[in-house]
Amino acid sequence: MHALRIFGWSLAITAIGVAGAGVIGGPRDAAIVAILAVLEISLSFDNAVINATILRRMSAFWQKLFLTVGVLIAVFGMRLIFPIVIVALTAHLGPLEVFDLALNDGDQYAEKLGDAHPAIAAFGGIFLFMLFLDFLFDPEREVQWIKKLEEPLRRAGQLDVIPTVIGLIALLVVGEAFAGDHTQQVLTAGVAGLATYLGVRGLGEFFESRGVGADADADADTEDAGKDTEDAGKDTEDAGKTAGAPRSSGQPKLVLATGKAAAFLFLYLEVIDASFSFDGVVGAFAISQNIFVIATGLGIGAMYIRSLTVYLVHRGTLAEYIYLEHGAHYAIGALAIILAISIETEVPEIVTGLVGVAFIGLALLSSIRHRRRHADSADSADSADSARGDEGEGGQGQPREAVGAPL
């Protein structure tokens, strides 16, 4: 029932969107809306995992805001208005003129959007690549999936500037090797994407670290939360269910981000969503040239991604399956590379979707194996303790503490 409440709005909007497209445009448009929704979900499943890692650090109010206002921004802002703004900037046309093209000449609008693809790919690609690098070089990350690769990078992350330096080098390589005749456009958009990432992420961390929005007893609350977390960690260890969970799990002080801290985290989430939506918006024009059909289909998919994000947060899935976050970040790194390649070479959307699903699937399997191994170890330890207890209580009826005492 809990899951039904979370996905209820998504199911309702799906029914309304598909039915509305069928009434206005006929069965063909209804089918296209359904196809685009599935396309968006397959391309952005890893987005839900990343969103969940951030959303669980925010208060319940901001989580609800993400599922309501955030959906409106995703559907109308990122899937409808933002492509128009991009075309207006790259084609040097007025927004009203571009909107007229989108309504009355879908083919030309799609062509203009295709011309803007190098800038879109560079902006979104560098943003996602920085997200991937910051994860790999995070010096505080305790859980490693591919330890031989991740542990040296984690240690190197003590030098904070490394991800930015690698990101700039990657941008230069893309500008020279993959941009073709669009080098200046790619470099300009890439620098803008890098600056956006550093700015939004930096401001979010700045306000969160200073507890903006918390009350005057924040320090005391944090100390109490730390004690509660320590006690909860002991209980969890005894239960043998979440050993090796990421550092962010079980930390109430992260979930309670409020005020400006939560506002910038919310903004960070929306920019991440925009970066994920670029390839879906551009690829959708291969299926339909009707911007409202595209916005409806992709919007339905975006709604499911948000519902899935909230579901992951409420169920504590990331703590239970400890490598999902790793798989999602590797999928993001792969998507960033695909965006770079797509500047000059068309990459089918199905390839992008399958790569993301493959990484998530492998991470899920690894997490399940980890849980089983830990459960087996816990059972073995309990059996050994029980056997020692039986030995101590047997024989002479002596208490367990007396076993092995000097004669």
Side-chain angles (χ1 to χ4, degrees), residues 13-22 25-41 287-288 290-301 304:
I13 290 175
T14 300
I16 294 172
V18 174
R28 181 177 180 274
D29 283 352
I32 291 175
V33 166
I35 292 171
L36 288 173
V38 174
L39 173 68
E40 178 70 8
I41 294 171
I287 302 174
S288 173
N290 187 317
I291 60 170
F292 295 110
V293 170
I294 291 174
T296 302
L298 298 182
I300 290 173
Y304 276 100

Side-chain angles (χ1 to χ4, degrees), residues 2-346:
H2 179 63
L4 183 60
R5 284 200 300 269
I6 293 176
F7 287 94
W9 279 106
S10 298
L11 295 171
I13 290 175
T14 300
I16 294 172
V18 174
V23 171
I24 297 174
R28 181 177 180 274
D29 283 352
I32 291 175
V33 166
I35 292 171
L36 288 173
V38 174
L39 173 68
E40 178 70 8
I41 294 171
S42 64
L43 289 175
S44 301
F45 184 83
D46 45 354
N47 189 13
V49 179
I50 299 301
N51 288 348
T53 65
I54 302 171
L55 195 65
R56 63 183 176 181
R57 297 157 58 189
M58 300 163 67
S59 65
F61 169 78
W62 285 96
Q63 291 182 12
K64 292 179 181 178
L65 203 66
F66 175 73
L67 194 58
T68 53
V69 176
V71 168
L72 296 178
I73 295 174
V75 175
F76 296 103
M78 300 306 175
R79 272 75 178 178
L80 186 62
I81 297 176
F82 192 73
I84 292 176
V85 173
I86 290 294
V87 171
L89 291 175
T90 56
H92 305 289
L93 299 173
L96 294 179
E97 187 177 356
V98 176
F99 188 69
D100 182 66
L101 278 178
L103 286 178
N104 302 312
D105 194 346
D107 291 335
Q108 187 175 357
Y109 175 72
E111 182 181 348
K112 295 290 186 183
L113 188 60
D115 293 338
H117 178 69
I120 294 173
F123 183 95
I126 192 64
F127 190 97
L128 295 176
F129 192 60
M130 289 301 301
L131 187 64
F132 171 63
L133 290 177
D134 271 347
F135 175 79
L136 282 185
F137 288 95
D138 182 2
E140 298 180 2
R141 182 165 49 85
E142 298 175 358
V143 178
Q144 285 84 40
W145 183 24
I146 308 174
K147 192 167 184 179
K148 290 183 179 180
L149 170 66
E150 295 177 11
E151 180 60 22
L153 296 179
R154 185 191 68 82
R155 293 177 180 175
Q158 298 290 341
L159 188 60
D160 293 339
V161 75
I162 286 183
T164 304
V165 171
I166 294 178
L168 285 172
I169 294 174
L171 180 59
L172 291 174
V173 171
V174 170
E176 289 295 325
F178 298 100
D181 297 331
H182 308 285
T183 300
Q184 182 177 356
Q185 186 181 14
V186 166
L187 292 178
T188 301
V191 170
L194 179 61
T196 300
Y197 176 83
L198 294 176
V200 175
R201 182 177 181 275
L203 286 172
E205 291 180 349
F206 174 82
F207 285 111
E208 187 179 8
S209 66
R210 281 154 181 77
V212 175
D215 53 31
D217 296 327
D219 292 337
D221 292 342
T222 300
E223 184 177 352
D224 292 339
K227 293 178 180 178
D228 293 341
T229 301
E230 187 175 334
D231 294 337
K234 293 178 180 178
D235 294 340
T236 302
E237 184 177 355
D238 293 337
K241 293 182 179 179
T242 58
R247 70 182 188 282
S248 55
S249 62
Q251 294 183 358
K253 63 180 180 180
L254 294 179
V255 179
L256 299 178
T258 57
K260 292 182 180 179
F264 276 100
L265 285 175
F266 179 83
L267 178 60
Y268 184 41
L269 280 173
E270 293 304 321
V271 178
I272 290 176
D273 178 75
S275 299
F276 274 97
S277 69
F278 288 150
D279 56 337
V281 172
V282 175
F285 279 92
I287 302 174
S288 173
Q289 279 72 49
N290 187 317
I291 60 170
F292 295 110
V293 170
I294 291 174
T296 302
L298 298 182
I300 290 173
M303 184 68 189
Y304 276 100
I305 293 301
R306 273 160 169 68
S307 296
L308 180 60
T309 298
V310 174
Y311 179 80
L312 293 175
V313 171
H314 288 182
R315 291 294 299 270
T317 305
L318 296 180
E320 189 174 359
Y321 300 97
I322 64 173
Y323 299 128
L324 274 183
E325 186 178 355
H326 297 69
H329 279 92
Y330 280 106
I332 285 175
L335 177 58
I337 295 173
I338 289 173
L339 284 173
I341 296 173
S342 70
I343 294 174
E344 284 292 307
T345 304
E346 184 177 355

